[in-house]
Amino acid sequence: MWALATISIVFFGRDFYVNAWNQARHGHANMDTLIALSTGVAYLFSVFNTLFPSVWTSRGLESHVYFETCAVIIAFILLGRLLEERAKFSTSSAIRRLAGLQPKKVTVKKRGEILVVDIEDVAAGDIVVVKPGEKIAVDGTVVEGESFVDESMLTGESIPVEKKAGEKVYAGTINQTGSFCFKAEKVGAETSLAQIIELVRQAQGSRAPSQKLADKIASVFVPAIICIAVFSFLVWNVCGLSSGNNYLVHSILSLVTVLVIACPCALGLATPTAIMVGIGKGAQNGILIKDAEALENFRKTDIVALDKTGTLTAGHPEVTIEYWEDAAQELKAVLGGMEALSQHPVAEAIAKYYPHAEVSEIQNMPGLGASCLHQGERFFAGNLQLMNNEGIEIPASILAKAKEYESQAKTVVYFAGSAKVLAVIAVADKVKETSKQAIKELQELGMEVVMLSGDNALTAKAIAEECGIREVKSSMLPADKEQYIRHLQAEGKKVAMVGDGINDSAALARADVSIAMGSGSDIAMDSAKITLPGSDLRKLASAVRLSQKTVKTIKMNLFWAFIYNIVAIPVAAGVLFPVNGFMLNPMIAGAAMAASSVCVVSNSLLLNFRKI
């Protein structure tokens, strides 16, 4: 036991003693001081008893050792710190994933030649070639060609954006089907992606470490324990309260007993055991918590900021409503078959919704729609401009429905034969069935809910009204979301951010509590402290209640740990000896310390049976 305890102290517990010494040099004390003092005294006293047991046995006393106390305390405290470090490492991986969004090699046009160069060699003014499926390397303006680009990493919106000559493109976004060339304008640290990475880095680095409650307690508790221990030692010596020649023995025993019984085992276990049980309870209920601080702080949240796409909504476009002048199944199959072969981003949603008929002679018209041939008749699917360009008649009922759907911020697709429009289909990102109930539960818990969206004001407002959210911020880029949360924090508000996309990573890193949807990007989950694997927003209210019950358990644990010390320390100092001759043996003190730890652990385990 001596050998194993020595390894625990010298190798694994070394930092506690170094930190305690540094604190002592400046006249301070913290949890490290309490750990070093109690384990150090227990270790030295045990070594003495191992080498010189006759000092006690010759006086009719037993020679006890407390090596296991040293090892167990150090092991428990280090386990808690290991969990904290793992959480810190996972947040830094968000930056690495963001950096990985930028391609290492770039295709450029120089002096009429097509060259593949390193990203570092791209300069402002270069003409960059982007092929289908490639990531855009730097910020710039399209000069040739056209395509649809997935800009969800910037805006969070699932529908790709059409790009043609004169349109801006941004680093980290993904080209879809077409090829185009653009003129590089912002490279290196000036790109939008580089700025997002910097925002995440600053937000993670600026988060001040919370002052641990145990350290605050220890700053008062440690000096008090030392004073009591020294005072009891002096009283036994100066006043000679003991009989015979045992006064020195009793003075040493009282000194050691006070320091052993004041060992921070129960105090050190009070928080980590409750946190570990709370994290386990969360996992059982579909709430993955990576950071203990987030679990403790969620209950203090004033404002919950929610991303729209993928958080409140499903994150992909779907057919939400349709109106047909002639609802023949064959016509619906023609539309499905045409859209299945179309390159338009909205086409996939329509193709999933309708059956597919065999069509031929597909013609894609960028920015307008598509047409096909079926049984000798040409059919069209696209926007209002396409219908007007082809001179197709639009019935009044179709126009009325189209305007109604557009007022609800839905994307409208007209379907027509060669002579007139047959139907109008509304496509939108549908609100999740659970979102409205989740918002209501958060509001009932006293939290203000705000929606932050990269979408336009009309769409954002429509979604917010459907979910019961009163405050909406639209057309927000990643930097805008991060700045908004920073502004709320400057007003003294505690902010929780919920998101799922790359565009949310900076805001997630800045927030006091960050929650990522399990269906979202890996970068968002790396930036967040809590993940909802099932992407069910109703789990937010459960997480708040879990935070409340966990902190309540921590406070109860601290209460019992203190009650133990308040009762046990005076007895250990020998206050009962003049009354009834009772002197607390250090071994009994060690058993009492273990009992207090069992009490704290048992109370923490009760958290498993509490409903959230």
Side-chain angles (χ1 to χ4, degrees):
M1 288 179 68
W2 182 6
L4 294 173
T6 302
I7 293 172
S8 297
I9 287 178
V10 174
F11 291 99
F12 303 113
R14 180 177 179 275
D15 285 347
F16 294 123
Y17 297 94
V18 172
N19 294 338
W21 171 250
N22 291 334
Q23 290 286 329
R25 287 195 311 169
H26 295 92
H28 300 299
N30 62 4
M31 195 66 180
D32 287 341
T33 309
L34 193 53
I35 294 166
L37 185 65
S38 57
T39 57
V41 168
Y43 177 80
L44 293 175
F45 188 61
S46 299
V47 170
F48 179 84
N49 290 353
T50 301
L51 296 176
F52 309 105
S54 59
V55 173
W56 310 108
T57 55
S58 63
R59 292 170 170 78
L61 301 171
E62 291 187 51
S63 177
H64 295 294
V65 293
Y66 309 94
F67 289 122
E68 78 288 347
T69 299
C70 313
V72 169
I73 293 169
I74 290 172
F76 270 119
I77 303 299
L78 287 179
L79 176 61
R81 295 191 179 182
L82 173 64
L83 295 175
E84 290 179 11
E85 290 303 317
R86 286 181 63 186
K88 291 176 184 177
F89 177 79
S90 68
T91 59
S92 64
S93 64
I95 296 174
R96 295 193 297 273
R97 288 184 183 271
L98 278 169
L101 290 176
Q102 196 171 40
K104 299 290 186 279
K105 299 287 185 179
V106 183
T107 305
V108 297
K109 274 186 182 180
K110 286 190 177 181
R111 297 178 295 277
E113 292 185 58
I114 302 294
L115 304 173
V116 177
V117 300
D118 292 334
I119 182 69
E120 295 83 6
D121 297 330
V122 178
D126 285 351
I127 301 299
V128 180
V129 180
V130 185
K131 299 173 185 177
E134 287 187 342
K135 295 175 183 176
I136 295 171
V138 295
D139 294 2
T141 302
V142 177
V143 294
E144 182 185 338
E146 56 187 41
S147 181
F148 286 90
V149 175
D150 180 356
E151 292 188 341
S152 58
M153 60 84 61
L154 277 179
T155 64
E157 302 315 309
S158 55
I159 299 178
V161 180
E162 184 181 7
K163 299 291 181 181
K164 44 192 174 184
E167 299 279 349
K168 296 284 186 183
V169 291
Y170 303 95
T173 57
I174 303 172
N175 183 30
Q176 297 288 281
T177 54
S179 298
F180 62 90
C181 300
F182 72 93
K183 183 179 181 180
E185 295 174 347
K186 294 181 179 180
V187 299
E190 296 179 348
T191 66
S192 53
L193 178 60
Q195 290 171 6
I196 294 174
I197 293 172
E198 184 59 26
L199 283 172
V200 173
R201 182 180 287 113
Q202 289 177 3
Q204 289 180 344
S206 65
R207 182 174 296 170
S210 61
Q211 179 64 45
K212 301 298 182 183
L213 181 59
D215 278 346
K216 289 182 178 180
I217 294 169
S219 64
V220 177
F221 187 63
V222 173
I225 292 300
I226 293 173
C227 289
I228 293 171
V230 172
F231 181 72
S232 64
F233 178 83
L234 294 176
V235 167
W236 279 95
N237 277 281
V238 175
C239 300
L241 293 177
S242 61
S243 59
N245 296 323
N246 282 343
Y247 72 92
L248 180 59
V249 173
H250 285 302
S251 63
I252 294 172
L253 283 176
S254 68
L255 173 68
V256 173
T257 304
V258 168
L259 293 175
V260 169
I261 208 165
C263 174
C265 205
L267 194 61
L269 288 172
T271 299
T273 54
I275 291 294
M276 290 170 72
V277 174
I279 289 173
K281 177 78 170 177
Q284 292 171 6
N285 287 271
I287 305 164
L288 300 185
I289 301 163
K290 296 191 291 184
D291 183 58
E293 187 177 349
L295 178 60
E296 290 183 59
N297 289 341
F298 205 0
R299 67 190 177 92
K300 301 177 184 176
T301 299
D302 301 305
I303 297 175
V304 178
L306 296 166
D307 172 52
K308 178 180 76 68
T309 306
T311 302
L312 287 166
T313 66
H316 51 83
E318 298 179 20
V319 174
T320 59
I321 193 168
E322 57 182 331
Y323 176 79
W324 289 78
E325 285 279 298
D326 182 352
Q329 194 68 15
E330 183 183 358
L331 292 175
K332 292 183 178 182
V334 171
L335 174 60
M338 175 168 50
E339 295 292 41
L341 300 173
S342 173
Q343 296 179 346
H344 195 280
V346 176
E348 184 180 352
I350 297 176
K352 286 181 179 178
Y353 191 78
Y354 294 109
H356 297 174
E358 286 191 21
V359 298
S360 60
E361 296 186 22
I362 289 285
Q363 293 181 4
N364 287 301
M365 292 166 272
L368 297 174
S371 71
C372 73
L373 200 64
H374 178 71
Q375 295 182 354
E377 183 179 359
R378 184 152 291 277
F379 290 87
F380 300 86
N383 58 22
L384 182 61
Q385 185 181 343
L386 174 61
M387 302 299 118
N388 291 332
N389 289 351
E390 298 295 330
I392 298 173
E393 177 191 347
I394 307 176
S397 58
I398 293 280
L399 273 178
K401 287 294 182 181
K403 288 180 180 179
E404 178 188 337
Y405 300 158
E406 286 173 343
S407 69
Q408 298 169 0
K410 300 179 188 293
T411 299
V412 170
V413 176
Y414 295 87
F415 175 62
S418 56
K420 72 171 186 175
V421 175
L422 304 171
V424 60
I425 296 93
V427 176
D429 189 5
K430 290 176 68 174
V431 173
K432 295 176 186 175
E433 295 179 1
T434 56
S435 293
K436 189 171 182 179
Q437 182 184 344
I439 302 305
K440 183 180 179 182
E441 288 182 10
L442 289 172
Q443 290 169 340
E444 288 174 349
L445 286 168
M447 296 179 177
E448 183 182 346
V449 180
V450 180
M451 189 178 85
L452 308 182
S453 174
D455 212 339
N456 61 73
L458 182 64
T459 303
K461 185 179 179 182
I463 296 295
E465 288 178 351
E466 186 175 348
C467 294
I469 299 174
R470 290 182 286 273
E471 186 170 351
V472 185
K473 301 292 180 182
S474 59
S475 303
M476 299 193 86
L477 294 175
D480 299 326
K481 293 183 179 183
E482 190 269 348
Q483 184 62 40
Y484 179 73
I485 289 177
R486 190 200 298 257
H487 170 72
L488 292 175
Q489 290 172 330
E491 294 179 348
K493 302 288 180 64
K494 295 291 183 183
V495 185
M497 173 68 195
V498 188
D500 77 314
I502 298 166
N503 64 311
D504 301 317
S505 56
L508 288 168
R510 173 64 60 185
D512 297 289
V513 178
S514 48
I515 304 103
M517 309 303 286
S519 58
S521 71
D522 290 341
I523 294 168
M525 286 187 276
D526 285 339
S527 300
K529 302 298 185 185
I530 299 174
T531 300
L532 306 181
S535 298
D536 185 348
L537 279 179
R538 291 176 298 182
K539 299 296 183 183
L540 289 176
S542 297
V544 174
R545 289 189 286 268
L546 178 61
S547 174
Q548 293 170 339
K549 293 182 187 301
T550 302
V551 171
K552 183 179 179 181
T553 300
I554 291 172
K555 290 180 177 178
M556 288 174 65
N557 286 347
L558 291 173
F559 170 78
W560 288 115
F562 271 114
I563 287 295
Y564 155 78
N565 280 300
I566 289 171
V567 173
I569 289 173
V571 175
V575 295
L576 295 179
F577 189 84
V579 179
N580 57 12
F582 179 77
M583 186 70 187
L584 187 64
N585 187 290
M587 193 62 189
I588 299 175
M593 178 195 70
S596 70
S597 299
V598 170
C599 179
V600 164
V601 172
S602 300
N603 188 52
S604 295
L605 290 173
L606 288 175
L607 186 58
N608 276 318
F609 303 99
R610 293 191 167 91
K611 187 178 179 181
I612 60 171

PDB file of all heavy atoms in Angstrom, residues 225-242:
ATOM      1  N   ILE A 225      -9.467  25.014   8.873  1.00  0.00           N
ATOM      2  CA  ILE A 225      -9.069  23.671   9.315  1.00  0.00           C
ATOM      3  C   ILE A 225      -7.664  23.702   9.914  1.00  0.00           C
ATOM      4  O   ILE A 225      -7.393  23.081  10.956  1.00  0.00           O
ATOM      5  CB  ILE A 225      -9.135  22.679   8.129  1.00  0.00           C
ATOM      6  CG1 ILE A 225     -10.584  22.466   7.702  1.00  0.00           C
ATOM      7  CG2 ILE A 225      -8.480  21.353   8.493  1.00  0.00           C
ATOM      8  CD1 ILE A 225     -11.470  21.906   8.792  1.00  0.00           C
ATOM      9  N   ILE A 226      -6.766  24.402   9.239  1.00  0.00           N
ATOM     10  CA  ILE A 226      -5.377  24.490   9.737  1.00  0.00           C
ATOM     11  C   ILE A 226      -5.362  25.135  11.122  1.00  0.00           C
ATOM     12  O   ILE A 226      -4.676  24.671  12.041  1.00  0.00           O
ATOM     13  CB  ILE A 226      -4.490  25.278   8.754  1.00  0.00           C
ATOM     14  CG1 ILE A 226      -4.349  24.489   7.443  1.00  0.00           C
ATOM     15  CG2 ILE A 226      -3.119  25.542   9.357  1.00  0.00           C
ATOM     16  CD1 ILE A 226      -3.630  25.242   6.355  1.00  0.00           C
ATOM     17  N   CYS A 227      -6.133  26.198  11.273  1.00  0.00           N
ATOM     18  CA  CYS A 227      -6.186  26.899  12.565  1.00  0.00           C
ATOM     19  C   CYS A 227      -6.738  25.985  13.658  1.00  0.00           C
ATOM     20  O   CYS A 227      -6.214  25.949  14.785  1.00  0.00           O
ATOM     21  CB  CYS A 227      -7.049  28.157  12.449  1.00  0.00           C
ATOM     22  SG  CYS A 227      -6.281  29.467  11.468  1.00  0.00           S
ATOM     23  N   ILE A 228      -7.818  25.243  13.341  1.00  0.00           N
ATOM     24  CA  ILE A 228      -8.413  24.335  14.332  1.00  0.00           C
ATOM     25  C   ILE A 228      -7.427  23.239  14.713  1.00  0.00           C
ATOM     26  O   ILE A 228      -7.268  22.897  15.896  1.00  0.00           O
ATOM     27  CB  ILE A 228      -9.720  23.725  13.783  1.00  0.00           C
ATOM     28  CG1 ILE A 228     -10.790  24.811  13.623  1.00  0.00           C
ATOM     29  CG2 ILE A 228     -10.225  22.606  14.686  1.00  0.00           C
ATOM     30  CD1 ILE A 228     -12.036  24.345  12.880  1.00  0.00           C
ATOM     31  N   ALA A 229      -6.743  22.655  13.692  1.00  0.00           N
ATOM     32  CA  ALA A 229      -5.786  21.576  13.950  1.00  0.00           C
ATOM     33  C   ALA A 229      -4.634  22.066  14.830  1.00  0.00           C
ATOM     34  O   ALA A 229      -4.263  21.408  15.817  1.00  0.00           O
ATOM     35  CB  ALA A 229      -5.261  21.017  12.626  1.00  0.00           C
ATOM     36  N   VAL A 230      -4.070  23.225  14.465  1.00  0.00           N
ATOM     37  CA  VAL A 230      -2.949  23.772  15.242  1.00  0.00           C
ATOM     38  C   VAL A 230      -3.401  24.173  16.642  1.00  0.00           C
ATOM     39  O   VAL A 230      -2.709  23.930  17.641  1.00  0.00           O
ATOM     40  CB  VAL A 230      -2.324  24.975  14.505  1.00  0.00           C
ATOM     41  CG1 VAL A 230      -1.282  25.670  15.379  1.00  0.00           C
ATOM     42  CG2 VAL A 230      -1.696  24.520  13.187  1.00  0.00           C
ATOM     43  N   PHE A 231      -4.592  24.757  16.717  1.00  0.00           N
ATOM     44  CA  PHE A 231      -5.117  25.186  18.015  1.00  0.00           C
ATOM     45  C   PHE A 231      -5.312  23.989  18.948  1.00  0.00           C
ATOM     46  O   PHE A 231      -4.965  24.039  20.134  1.00  0.00           O
ATOM     47  CB  PHE A 231      -6.437  25.924  17.813  1.00  0.00           C
ATOM     48  CG  PHE A 231      -7.056  26.429  19.088  1.00  0.00           C
ATOM     49  CD1 PHE A 231      -6.501  27.513  19.765  1.00  0.00           C
ATOM     50  CD2 PHE A 231      -8.177  25.797  19.635  1.00  0.00           C
ATOM     51  CE1 PHE A 231      -7.069  27.977  20.938  1.00  0.00           C
ATOM     52  CE2 PHE A 231      -8.740  26.259  20.817  1.00  0.00           C
ATOM     53  CZ  PHE A 231      -8.191  27.352  21.463  1.00  0.00           C
ATOM     54  N   SER A 232      -5.881  22.900  18.412  1.00  0.00           N
ATOM     55  CA  SER A 232      -6.088  21.705  19.246  1.00  0.00           C
ATOM     56  C   SER A 232      -4.749  21.121  19.701  1.00  0.00           C
ATOM     57  O   SER A 232      -4.615  20.659  20.844  1.00  0.00           O
ATOM     58  CB  SER A 232      -6.897  20.659  18.478  1.00  0.00           C
ATOM     59  OG  SER A 232      -6.186  20.190  17.350  1.00  0.00           O
ATOM     60  N   PHE A 233      -3.757  21.151  18.817  1.00  0.00           N
ATOM     61  CA  PHE A 233      -2.419  20.662  19.169  1.00  0.00           C
ATOM     62  C   PHE A 233      -1.831  21.489  20.319  1.00  0.00           C
ATOM     63  O   PHE A 233      -1.294  20.948  21.296  1.00  0.00           O
ATOM     64  CB  PHE A 233      -1.517  20.734  17.937  1.00  0.00           C
ATOM     65  CG  PHE A 233      -0.095  20.310  18.196  1.00  0.00           C
ATOM     66  CD1 PHE A 233       0.266  18.967  18.183  1.00  0.00           C
ATOM     67  CD2 PHE A 233       0.898  21.250  18.455  1.00  0.00           C
ATOM     68  CE1 PHE A 233       1.569  18.567  18.413  1.00  0.00           C
ATOM     69  CE2 PHE A 233       2.202  20.866  18.688  1.00  0.00           C
ATOM     70  CZ  PHE A 233       2.547  19.526  18.671  1.00  0.00           C
ATOM     71  N   LEU A 234      -1.960  22.818  20.225  1.00  0.00           N
ATOM     72  CA  LEU A 234      -1.412  23.700  21.255  1.00  0.00           C
ATOM     73  C   LEU A 234      -2.153  23.548  22.574  1.00  0.00           C
ATOM     74  O   LEU A 234      -1.543  23.557  23.652  1.00  0.00           O
ATOM     75  CB  LEU A 234      -1.460  25.156  20.773  1.00  0.00           C
ATOM     76  CG  LEU A 234      -0.557  25.493  19.572  1.00  0.00           C
ATOM     77  CD1 LEU A 234      -0.781  26.935  19.130  1.00  0.00           C
ATOM     78  CD2 LEU A 234       0.916  25.277  19.936  1.00  0.00           C
ATOM     79  N   VAL A 235      -3.476  23.410  22.487  1.00  0.00           N
ATOM     80  CA  VAL A 235      -4.269  23.281  23.720  1.00  0.00           C
ATOM     81  C   VAL A 235      -3.873  22.022  24.474  1.00  0.00           C
ATOM     82  O   VAL A 235      -3.689  22.046  25.703  1.00  0.00           O
ATOM     83  CB  VAL A 235      -5.780  23.265  23.385  1.00  0.00           C
ATOM     84  CG1 VAL A 235      -6.590  22.810  24.596  1.00  0.00           C
ATOM     85  CG2 VAL A 235      -6.232  24.650  22.951  1.00  0.00           C
ATOM     86  N   TRP A 236      -3.727  20.926  23.757  1.00  0.00           N
ATOM     87  CA  TRP A 236      -3.328  19.673  24.401  1.00  0.00           C
ATOM     88  C   TRP A 236      -1.942  19.783  25.036  1.00  0.00           C
ATOM     89  O   TRP A 236      -1.681  19.179  26.092  1.00  0.00           O
ATOM     90  CB  TRP A 236      -3.316  18.532  23.369  1.00  0.00           C
ATOM     91  CG  TRP A 236      -4.683  17.968  23.120  1.00  0.00           C
ATOM     92  CD1 TRP A 236      -5.542  18.301  22.142  1.00  0.00           C
ATOM     93  CD2 TRP A 236      -5.338  16.977  23.901  1.00  0.00           C
ATOM     94  NE1 TRP A 236      -6.706  17.593  22.234  1.00  0.00           N
ATOM     95  CE2 TRP A 236      -6.610  16.744  23.328  1.00  0.00           C
ATOM     96  CE3 TRP A 236      -4.990  16.245  25.046  1.00  0.00           C
ATOM     97  CZ2 TRP A 236      -7.523  15.837  23.827  1.00  0.00           C
ATOM     98  CZ3 TRP A 236      -5.907  15.318  25.537  1.00  0.00           C
ATOM     99  CH2 TRP A 236      -7.159  15.122  24.936  1.00  0.00           C
ATOM    100  N   ASN A 237      -1.066  20.534  24.452  1.00  0.00           N
ATOM    101  CA  ASN A 237       0.292  20.680  24.989  1.00  0.00           C
ATOM    102  C   ASN A 237       0.356  21.685  26.132  1.00  0.00           C
ATOM    103  O   ASN A 237       0.887  21.395  27.212  1.00  0.00           O
ATOM    104  CB  ASN A 237       1.253  21.123  23.879  1.00  0.00           C
ATOM    105  CG  ASN A 237       1.749  19.949  23.054  1.00  0.00           C
ATOM    106  OD1 ASN A 237       2.639  19.229  23.483  1.00  0.00           O
ATOM    107  ND2 ASN A 237       1.165  19.765  21.893  1.00  0.00           N
ATOM    108  N   VAL A 238      -0.210  22.870  25.881  1.00  0.00           N
ATOM    109  CA  VAL A 238      -0.080  23.956  26.861  1.00  0.00           C
ATOM    110  C   VAL A 238      -0.922  23.691  28.103  1.00  0.00           C
ATOM    111  O   VAL A 238      -0.462  23.869  29.242  1.00  0.00           O
ATOM    112  CB  VAL A 238      -0.467  25.299  26.219  1.00  0.00           C
ATOM    113  CG1 VAL A 238      -0.453  26.417  27.262  1.00  0.00           C
ATOM    114  CG2 VAL A 238       0.483  25.630  25.077  1.00  0.00           C
ATOM    115  N   CYS A 239      -2.170  23.278  27.869  1.00  0.00           N
ATOM    116  CA  CYS A 239      -3.079  23.094  29.005  1.00  0.00           C
ATOM    117  C   CYS A 239      -2.921  21.741  29.697  1.00  0.00           C
ATOM    118  O   CYS A 239      -3.406  21.558  30.805  1.00  0.00           O
ATOM    119  CB  CYS A 239      -4.526  23.269  28.556  1.00  0.00           C
ATOM    120  SG  CYS A 239      -4.850  24.921  27.874  1.00  0.00           S
ATOM    121  N   GLY A 240      -2.280  20.779  29.003  1.00  0.00           N
ATOM    122  CA  GLY A 240      -2.063  19.467  29.608  1.00  0.00           C
ATOM    123  C   GLY A 240      -3.348  18.778  29.973  1.00  0.00           C
ATOM    124  O   GLY A 240      -3.497  18.267  31.081  1.00  0.00           O
ATOM    125  N   LEU A 241      -4.318  18.767  29.035  1.00  0.00           N
ATOM    126  CA  LEU A 241      -5.611  18.179  29.332  1.00  0.00           C
ATOM    127  C   LEU A 241      -5.554  16.665  29.468  1.00  0.00           C
ATOM    128  O   LEU A 241      -6.438  16.049  30.046  1.00  0.00           O
ATOM    129  CB  LEU A 241      -6.620  18.559  28.237  1.00  0.00           C
ATOM    130  CG  LEU A 241      -6.995  20.047  28.174  1.00  0.00           C
ATOM    131  CD1 LEU A 241      -7.928  20.301  27.016  1.00  0.00           C
ATOM    132  CD2 LEU A 241      -7.650  20.485  29.477  1.00  0.00           C
ATOM    133  N   SER A 242      -4.535  16.059  28.916  1.00  0.00           N
ATOM    134  CA  SER A 242      -4.442  14.603  29.000  1.00  0.00           C
ATOM    135  C   SER A 242      -3.762  14.191  30.293  1.00  0.00           C
ATOM    136  O   SER A 242      -3.094  14.979  30.953  1.00  0.00           O
ATOM    137  CB  SER A 242      -3.668  14.068  27.802  1.00  0.00           C
ATOM    138  OG  SER A 242      -2.361  14.604  27.790  1.00  0.00           O
TER     139      SER A 242
END
